[in-house]
Amino acid sequence: LIGGYIGINPDNSCGFSLLSAEDENGVISDFSIATDADTKAFLVTGGPSSPITVSELAAGQKADVYGDENIGTSCFDAHTIIAY
């Protein structure tokens, strides 16, 4: 699980970036997130969640990304994305 805010991935190597909140030292981490046709995305807005497409995620939107780190690509392979 990685939580943070949707950003862009300037080199387009993985799809998009996820910016974490500042840690206790004021450091913001940037994670490269990869998606594919099997990645599920959902939007939660106070009621039941609604399925959305990954392309509907907006920069600055808060999200939790579930998946696995891919050492070979240096991307985090997203299986499920929960956006708020």
Side-chain angles (χ1 to χ4, degrees), residues 20-47:
S20 70
E22 288 185 16
D23 67 14
E24 64 276 1
N25 298 314
V27 175
I28 298 174
S29 297
D30 181 1
F31 299 93
S32 295
I33 308 296
T35 61
D36 61 22
D38 293 327
T39 303
K40 308 290 185 231
F42 299 91
L43 179 63
V44 177
T45 57

Side-chain angles (χ1 to χ4, degrees), residues 2 6 9 13-18 30-35 39 65 74-78 81:
I2 300 175
I6 303 291
N9 193 346
S13 64
C14 295
F16 67 91
S17 63
L18 192 73
D30 181 1
F31 299 93
S32 295
I33 308 296
T35 61
T39 303
V65 179
S74 299
C75 300
F76 187 85
D77 292 338
I81 302 169

